[in-house]
Amino acid sequence: MFGLGAPELLLILIIALVVFGPGKLPTIGRALGKSLREFKEAVNTGETKEIADKTEKAGEKSTNH
């Protein structure tokens, strides 16, 4: 994952804890997780639509010939 090891991730977590405080970290984590999930769904939906479009076009070409 981006070439980050355990020590780097621990340092990032400590910095986040100092900057945002322990009360805000769960909220920030939830928001980040939700954003990543929505991004993945959007990417997967876009890929699925592209594949379906290509399949439709290929089917039309084979029936027209």
Side-chain angles (χ1 to χ4, degrees), residues 2-16:
F2 306 114
L4 296 177
E8 290 86 1
L9 291 175
L10 184 62
L11 180 63
I12 291 170
L13 180 62
I14 290 171
I15 291 171

Side-chain angles (χ1 to χ4, degrees), residues 16-60:
L17 185 62
V18 169
V19 171
F20 297 111
K24 284 282 190 185
L25 281 185
T27 306
I28 293 169
R30 236 178 275 119
L32 182 62
K34 184 178 177 183
S35 299
L36 287 173
R37 188 176 336 110
E38 289 174 359
F39 178 75
K40 286 181 182 180
E41 288 175 4
V43 168
N44 289 337
T45 303
E47 288 177 358
T48 305
K49 186 177 178 183
E50 287 177 14
I51 292 170
D53 290 344
K54 289 178 183 178
T55 306
E56 273 183 28
K57 288 178 184 178
E60 290 173 2

